[in-house]
Amino acid sequence: MADRFPSPFEIQTPEGAEGWQELYTYSSLFCEERREYEEGAFWFHDGVHWPEALTPWDTTFLEFALASLSQYNTRHYIIPPAYGVDFRILNGYVYLSPVPAPPEDIESRVPLFMERAGFYFGNWNRLYDDWLVKIRDLVKEMSELRLEPLPQFEDLEVITSGVGKGSGNELLASYHRLLDLALTLWQYHFEFLNLGYAAYLDFFGFCKTAFPSIPDLAIAKMVAGVDVDLFRPDDELKKLARLAVSSGIDDRFDAGDVATTWEKLKSDEAGRAWIAEWEKAAEPWFNFSTGSGFYHSDKIWIENVEVPVGYIADYITKVRDGVDLDRPIQALHAERDRVVAEYRELLDSDEDREAFDAKLGLSRTVFPYVENHNFYVEHWAHSVLWRKMRDVGKVLKAADFIVNTDDVFMLKRAEVSDVLWDLYAGWAVGAPSRGPGYWPAEIERRRGIHEALKQWSAPPALGIPPEVVTEPFTVMLWGITSDSVSAWLSSGEGGADGELSGFAASPGLVEGPARVIFSADQISEIEDGEILVAPLTAPSWAPIFGKIKATVTDVGGMMSHAAIVCREYGLPAVTGTAFGTKNIRTGQLIRVDGNTGKVTVLE
């Protein structure tokens, strides 16, 4: 077994991708200037958020997200054992490296953290209510930004109003404001998230100390059964399905074509009333990405209505058959209360029980944010941002700077400012801009590079592995453990006799045929009673949980979205198997043990 992973400086450029470094911000690349530091660190591929090669503009959210996360750890709340999470792009793929706080500084950071985190924990509900207002106001401002083609002449009103500025100024200012809002969005994202994890991890650590043999899953069960907005889109689909059946218009969803279905719905009052309910639900709840929310290419429900309509049609069938569509909240609460009572009884003193109650209570208070933020930031706000960037693309396409609207995402965010300046200057002067003669060929070249990068298989890790993985966020969210690092080092393809190991992420033991999928585009292939096997799942896949028997993922830990959502829907899950999609084939009979974290290929 190897004792280290490849150095990032040993990784070769894929054939056809020469010059790929030009697609990304210079500071995000491995480089000679930082070689000693970078070769001495442990870097893991973040397949949870960025499983595929990034286009240039899409790296904006990577950089904004990781800088904001790190800022809150290091400069705001002063998390005692942790600085930020460093990030690099290699051949288009994202690698992360948690940066620990110097051991000699940890003790002095504790009182600072307690004061700052204590304020938020003590005022959580008020501050969170304020957060919801802030995030909605931010999305509204983004939605109202105007990014429009430059006119031949300014309107007379520009003159008579004495506004003193023109359309070019507004176009440039709107793009810069869009970037400002995008960064602010990610600052808001981590205002609560790190503390939400910290509270859970504090409770987790207390339980591990008080009950040394307690399974991780038992601790997770104690905070299950939460009511979060992330489930609202799926709840709206179920409500619309029930309404279709109760209104007697459910047969119109058998058309298999959205346009035909809508025409039938518009034909009478009951159908039009259903459409009105759809429109009420769509904003904001169908601003839901079929992927992680970090790729402009992910489909958004509200823009690709065939996706949610397909889910509604599936739900209609279940409503007709008398299937209960609701999440098993009562069962989750009963199991949660049973586990809490069982472990609380084992505590020796009133003082320990008081500490247990306080830490559990705080975890339950803050835990909904751990999932709620995902809808408001990665899905709703990002959906608006992608649309606004396509408005920029339409401006550039109209001016012949690019061939297709989505070509704008082949520009780095700083380049977009330069391109818009080129457009504005040529328009202002009345002379040709350089862009139309430069960018179409350059973007075509970049597309070729990006296609080559997409074919590359990113190694799971780089650099020097840690002796023991102890950083809690790395374990809980990304599923990086000492065992998984060892498996990567040995290039293991799983255990013997067709057995895979991962996190016991959601309880239950089932057997069934596997359905291996790699993207949301394959969701329609899933049939009732199958076991989903995927690199990862997205929150918007929740409607398929009424079909499947269990979930197996390659990446993710106990606090990954797949783990949390499966627990809330009462489905067994094993996450972070590393090799699930490689070792399992569609149709194979497999056993998923969500109690032990074992997946076995039976035939």
Side-chain angles (χ1 to χ4, degrees):
M1 183 174 73
D3 60 358
R4 64 161 295 156
F5 295 103
S7 162
F9 297 91
E10 297 170 357
I11 301 297
Q12 299 299 307
T13 295
E15 184 177 354
E18 292 76 15
W20 66 267
Q21 295 89 342
E22 301 167 26
L23 276 60
Y24 305 104
T25 309
Y26 83 97
S27 59
S28 68
L29 305 176
F30 290 104
C31 60
E32 287 295 332
E33 294 86 350
R34 296 183 293 207
R35 182 166 186 152
E36 182 178 356
Y37 159 70
E38 292 170 342
E39 284 197 314
F42 170 66
W43 304 87
F44 64 87
H45 170 46
D46 184 0
V48 171
H49 301 98
W50 295 281
E52 302 174 6
L54 283 163
T55 55
W57 202 92
D58 289 12
T59 62
T60 296
F61 291 138
L62 157 69
E63 294 172 328
F64 285 5
L66 270 295
S68 297
L69 179 159
S70 301
Q71 173 182 327
Y72 271 98
N73 269 14
T74 308
R75 311 297 177 187
H76 284 238
Y77 298 129
I78 315 178
I79 305 294
Y83 277 2
V85 178
D86 209 352
F87 55 95
R88 296 289 185 275
I89 297 174
L90 179 64
N91 286 340
Y93 293 79
V94 176
Y95 283 85
L96 304 181
S97 180
V99 180
E104 63 273 16
D105 291 349
I106 292 176
E107 185 176 353
S108 64
R109 292 166 66 88
V110 171
L112 298 173
F113 170 75
M114 295 299 290
E115 178 183 15
R116 295 167 185 229
F119 175 79
Y120 262 76
F121 291 146
N123 297 276
W124 189 273
N125 291 332
R126 174 181 66 81
L127 293 169
Y128 180 56
D129 287 344
D130 292 345
W131 184 89
L132 288 171
V133 173
K134 288 189 301 190
I135 204 76
R136 289 182 175 123
D137 286 348
L138 185 147
V139 172
K140 182 175 184 291
E141 183 178 350
M142 284 193 301
S143 300
E144 294 173 350
L145 287 174
R146 295 177 58 197
L147 294 148
E148 299 173 345
L150 300 176
Q152 182 180 7
F153 304 116
E154 296 286 9
D155 290 340
L156 180 60
E157 185 182 357
V158 174
I159 306 300
T160 58
S161 67
V163 68
K165 58 183 179 180
S167 302
N169 177 277
E170 182 172 1
L171 178 60
L172 292 168
S174 293
Y175 177 67
H176 295 151
R177 183 59 182 157
L178 183 65
L179 292 183
D180 290 343
L181 290 170
L183 180 56
T184 300
L185 173 72
W186 276 96
Q187 301 280 293
Y188 288 169
H189 178 287
F190 288 106
E191 180 185 359
F192 286 85
L193 185 61
N194 297 19
L195 293 179
Y197 278 127
Y200 177 78
L201 290 168
D202 182 46
F203 175 61
F204 183 90
F206 177 90
C207 289
K208 285 293 187 180
T209 300
F211 321 111
S213 61
I214 188 173
D216 293 358
L217 184 55
I219 303 174
K221 284 181 180 180
M222 296 188 208
V223 297
V226 295
D227 183 19
V228 297
D229 289 344
L230 187 66
F231 301 139
R232 182 71 179 272
D234 189 33
D235 291 340
E236 292 294 333
L237 297 180
K238 294 171 181 175
K239 185 165 66 175
L240 288 166
R242 293 186 184 105
L243 178 62
V245 174
S246 65
S247 302
I249 60 173
D250 49 303
D251 60 328
R252 302 178 196 185
F253 291 84
D254 298 336
D257 174 76
V258 172
T260 303
T261 297
W262 241 248
E263 285 303 313
K264 291 182 176 181
L265 290 170
K266 291 177 181 177
S267 66
D268 62 17
E269 185 175 343
R272 290 191 292 272
W274 188 94
I275 290 175
E277 291 301 312
W278 161 280
E279 291 173 346
K280 284 168 57 178
E283 282 290 352
W285 304 112
F286 294 169
N287 285 281
F288 216 27
S289 168
T290 57
S292 63
F294 287 101
Y295 292 87
H296 77 269
S297 54
D298 291 338
K299 291 181 179 179
I300 310 299
W301 283 10
I302 203 169
E303 299 165 8
N304 299 270
V305 296
E306 71 278 2
V307 176
V309 168
Y311 290 141
I312 291 171
D314 286 342
Y315 279 144
I316 285 173
T317 299
K318 293 185 181 299
V319 173
R320 289 169 177 165
D321 294 341
V323 176
D324 183 4
L325 301 182
D326 292 330
R327 289 188 295 125
I329 294 294
Q330 289 186 341
L332 287 170
H333 285 179
E335 177 65 6
R336 178 183 74 181
D337 295 343
R338 182 194 68 79
V339 174
V340 168
E342 175 184 317
Y343 281 98
R344 190 178 186 279
E345 186 66 25
L346 297 176
L347 294 168
D348 295 328
S349 67
D350 289 341
E351 182 181 2
D352 285 345
R353 282 186 284 273
E354 183 178 341
F356 175 85
D357 292 343
K359 293 177 187 296
L360 173 59
L362 180 60
S363 292
R364 288 183 179 175
T365 296
V366 305
F367 194 73
Y369 180 83
V370 172
E371 283 301 282
N372 269 357
H373 79 278
N374 194 263
F375 172 75
Y376 288 102
V377 178
E378 285 97 321
H379 291 271
W380 185 15
H382 277 198
S383 295
V384 174
L385 279 157
W386 297 131
R387 287 198 284 274
K388 289 300 170 181
M389 281 305 301
R390 287 189 169 93
D391 287 345
V392 176
K394 291 172 185 175
V395 169
L396 296 178
K397 180 182 177 183
D400 295 325
F401 275 63
I402 59 179
V403 176
N404 301 300
T405 299
D406 277 12
D407 287 349
V408 70
F409 297 108
M410 297 307 295
L411 301 170
K412 292 180 278 191
R413 68 174 179 276
E415 286 177 332
V416 174
S417 294
D418 291 339
V419 172
L420 290 175
W421 174 260
D422 181 19
L423 170 65
Y424 163 64
W427 171 84
V429 173
S433 297
R434 184 185 179 190
Y438 177 81
W439 283 111
E442 172 60 16
I443 286 172
E444 186 65 21
R445 182 184 76 88
R446 293 184 180 189
R447 284 205 179 281
I449 291 173
H450 184 249
E451 283 299 318
L453 295 177
K454 287 167 62 176
Q455 308 311 311
W456 186 64
S457 180
L462 303 167
I464 299 175
E467 292 184 11
V468 180
V469 179
T470 58
E471 201 285 312
F473 290 98
T474 305
V475 176
M476 289 286 180
L477 178 58
W478 284 290
I480 310 299
T481 66
S482 300
D483 288 342
S484 62
V485 170
S486 295
W488 294 341
L489 282 169
S490 62
S491 299
E493 295 293 321
D497 301 322
E499 187 173 88
L500 292 164
S501 295
F503 285 89
S506 185
L509 175 66
V510 298
E511 295 180 3
R515 172 65 65 175
V516 182
I517 71 171
F518 293 91
S519 74
D521 292 337
Q522 297 177 274
I523 285 179
S524 61
E525 300 171 9
I526 298 171
E527 299 181 4
D528 284 341
E530 292 184 323
I531 293 174
L532 172 65
V533 181
L536 72 164
T537 67
S540 59
W541 294 15
I544 67 169
F545 291 167
K547 284 186 170 185
I548 61 176
K549 297 174 72 173
T551 298
V552 177
T553 66
D554 292 344
V555 299
M558 285 293 296
M559 289 296 113
S560 65
H561 298 304
I564 293 172
V565 174
C566 283
R567 288 196 292 272
E568 294 298 322
Y569 280 80
L571 287 174
V574 177
T575 59
T577 64
F579 308 106
T581 57
K582 294 181 180 179
N583 287 17
I584 300 171
R585 299 188 306 277
T586 292
Q588 284 185 311
L589 183 65
I590 64 174
R591 178 188 298 125
V592 177
D593 190 340
N595 303 302
T596 65
K598 301 294 183 183
V599 180
T600 306
V601 178
L602 301 176
E603 63 178 39

